[in-house]
């Protein structure tokens, strides 16, 4: 696929480079999605800023990777740590949860250093959930991020243990590494409770269960819980670390959930467009409860449009923070358009 970027300027707005969508993703009926402007009111004295999401994102990926490398060192027993590192430090990982956490924290004036421990914990939890999702008894996926799934390298038994170990390591990392002079203890407790809620029986675990056992009517619940929870949790944790108000936390919650589901819906649309045969499509339909599998590509595109609009509507409530909200707007457009790659699969 070939992508290009367009800059959309407007008086009293922040200029953001938005991607022109691949012509294969959406039909002409839905081409309006390629011309979405992220409008952000700022003071007339402010200079127009040009936000480079790819640079912002890749810079954070480098910083987060360094933090993760230090957070999960190899120690005795070596094999379990090697299995943990294999997934946590996988090449090609976009680090979407930690990057969203940092961006949400900085929106409210929080220090990036205050967010890094929680950001790393979110990536640990995310990696653990992917390890378990890929298991033969779950989604039975042989590959992840362009390389063999954890259980294909280390075995099912070790993959289960690696995932089990990453969950508590994430919580421990938040408590032990967050600077106490930057984040009050009460905020950390709320962050830990938020992550625990997101991964538990009311969150991602519930989504995985209904993906396995639920009927086609469960597709919305499955998508929100299995994919929306991680985005919701990431945005909320960033806001909590920076001391956002309860109303602002609720906006972040709705925003993050919409972006998380949007990303997966677009993934499914892109995958459906590249199916090699009807057999492949049928196998995919049997395997997962997605909007594409249950309702078809056209309906999934409509859902994606609605999710993009919903996410941006929530961000409109952060207008008073000026240009600090631009990264969060940009994530929405990237989730829908995939305007650039990171040079790796995943």
């Amino acid at each position: 696929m070939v992508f290009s970027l367009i800059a959309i300027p407007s008086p009293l707005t922040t200029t953001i480079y938005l991607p022109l969508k691949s012509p294969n993703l959406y039909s002409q009926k839905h081409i309006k999605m390629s011309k979405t402007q992220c409008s952000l009111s700022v003071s007339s004295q402010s200079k127009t800023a040009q936000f480079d999401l790819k640079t912002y994102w890749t810079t954070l990926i480098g910083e987060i990777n360094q933090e993760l490398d230090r957070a999960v060192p190899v120690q005795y027993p070596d094999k379990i740590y090697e299995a943990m590192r294999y997934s946590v430090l996988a090449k090609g990982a976009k680090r979407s949860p930690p990057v969203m956490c940092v961006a949400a924290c900085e929106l409210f004036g929080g220090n990036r250093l205050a967010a890094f421990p929680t950001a790393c914990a979110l990536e640990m939890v995310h990696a653990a959930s992917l390890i378990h999702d890929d298991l033969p008894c779950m989604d039975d996926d042989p590959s992840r991020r362009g390389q063999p799934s954890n259980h294909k390298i280390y075995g099912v038994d070790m993959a289960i243990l690696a995932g089990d170990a990453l969950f508590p390591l994430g919580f421990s990392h938040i408590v032990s590494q967050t600077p106490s002079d930057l984040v009050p203890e009460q905020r950390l407790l709320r962050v830990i409770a938020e992550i625990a809620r997101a991964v538990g029986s009311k969150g991602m675990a519930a989504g995985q269960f209904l993906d396995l056992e639920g009927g086609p009517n469960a597709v919305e619940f499955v998508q929100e819980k299995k994919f929306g929870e991680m985005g919701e949790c990431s945005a909320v944790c960033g806001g909590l670390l920076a001391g956002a108000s309860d109303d602002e936390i609720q906006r972040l919650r709705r925003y993050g959930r919409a972006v998380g589901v949007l990303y997966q819906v677009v993934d499914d649309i892109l995958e459906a467009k590249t199916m090699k045969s009807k057999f492949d499509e049928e196998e995919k339909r049997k395997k997962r409860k997605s909007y594409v599998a249950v309702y078809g590509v056209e309906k999934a595109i409509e859902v994606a449009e609605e999710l993009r609009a919903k996410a941006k509507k929530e961000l409109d409530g952060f207008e008073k923070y000026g240009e600090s909200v631009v990264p969060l707007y940009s994530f929405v457009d990237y989730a829908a358009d995939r305007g650039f790659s990171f040079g790796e699969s995943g």
Side-chain angles (χ1 to χ4, degrees), residues 210 213-219 222 289 294:
L210 283 178
E213 303 291 341
N217 291 337
V219 62
V222 169
K289 292 176 180 63
V294 175

Side-chain angles (χ1 to χ4, degrees), residues 277-326:
S277 68
K278 290 184 178 180
F279 174 78
D280 288 336
E281 186 172 355
E282 182 59 28
E283 286 300 302
K284 195 69 178 179
R285 286 177 182 272
K286 290 178 182 177
K287 191 173 182 181
R288 285 190 33 223
K289 292 176 180 63
S290 69
Y291 285 103
V292 170
V294 175
Y295 299 116
V297 171
E298 288 300 311
K299 175 62 177 178
I301 291 172
E302 292 177 10
V303 171
E305 289 178 333
E306 292 168 3
L307 288 166
R308 182 197 281 221
K310 183 176 181 180
K312 288 192 172 185
K313 180 180 179 181
E314 296 301 336
L315 292 181
D316 289 344
F318 298 128
E319 185 178 90
K320 65 181 180 181
Y321 293 105
E323 295 176 8
S324 296
V325 75
V326 173

Side-chain angles (χ1 to χ4, degrees), residues 254-274:
R254 294 187 293 267
Y255 161 81
R257 187 187 311 140
V259 174
V261 178
L262 171 62
Y263 196 96
Q264 186 58 43
V265 171
V266 173
D267 264 3
D268 292 335
I269 293 169
L270 289 168
E271 192 165 343
K273 293 289 187 180
T274 58

